[in-house]
């Protein structure tokens, strides 16, 4: 588990970001780009770990690359957002055209298109951590 907490967050470190990715390259890119930002983030080991973090911390964003099948141990996107209405869920676009629509229907708030771009990730994180 990797954790980074930069105290000088421009938005008062308004909550954690959870990164939960099956694809190692995607996970590494998201983690690397996030280290460049003044936010606290956790790389979850699996769905169970992510669910524990999402239940116990003031999380603002879940970044994931997996939609279906869902992560074992992770509540559905809708359940996560019912429990924490301020939570945003960003899904890295999958290989199928219908993945973006399916992600939205299941409760995702943001879609990150492939190829991933640093600025798109930074904009998504900024939107999630901006004070409401």
């Amino acid at each position: 588990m990797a954790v980074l907490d930069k105290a000088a967050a421009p938005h008062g470190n308004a909550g954690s970001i959870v990164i939960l990715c099956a694809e190692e390259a995607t996970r590494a890119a998201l983690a690397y780009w996030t280290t460049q930002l003044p936010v606290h983030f956790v790389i979850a080991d699996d769905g169970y770990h992510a669910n524990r973090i999402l239940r116990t911390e003031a999380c603002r964003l879940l970044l994931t690359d997996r939609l279906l099948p869902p992560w074992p141990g992770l509540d559905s996107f809708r359940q996560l957002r019912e429990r924490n209405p301020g939570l945003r869920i960003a899904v890295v676009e999958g290989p199928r055209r219908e993945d973006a629509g399916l992600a939205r229907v299941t409760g995702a708030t943001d879609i990150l298109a492939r190829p991933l771009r640093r600025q798109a990730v930074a904009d998504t994180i900024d939107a999630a951590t901006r004070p409401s």
Side-chain angles (χ1 to χ4, degrees), residues 6 10-11 17 19 26 29-39 41 60-61 63 88 90 92 110-113 115-130:
K6 293 186 181 178
H11 304 304
I17 296 167
I19 297 173
T26 301
L30 292 172
Y32 178 73
W33 291 337
T34 304
T35 63
Q36 309 300 308
L37 302 171
V39 294
F41 75 95
R60 299 299 301 266
L61 177 65
L63 287 167
R88 295 178 68 106
V92 176
D110 301 276
I111 308 300
L112 291 168
L116 280 176
R117 305 224 185 274
R118 181 188 312 234
Q119 190 60 53
V121 172
D123 291 346
T124 299
I125 291 171
D126 183 59
T129 57
R130 191 176 311 135

Side-chain angles (χ1 to χ4, degrees), residues 1-20:
M1 172 174 83
V3 178
L4 180 71
D5 189 357
K6 293 186 181 178
H11 304 304
N13 201 16
S16 297
I17 296 167
V18 177
I19 297 173
L20 177 62

Side-chain angles (χ1 to χ4, degrees), residues 71-83:
W71 282 93
L74 183 67
D75 291 341
S76 73
F77 292 168
R78 291 204 183 281
Q79 289 170 316
L80 293 171
R81 296 198 59 229
E82 283 173 12
R83 192 170 60 238

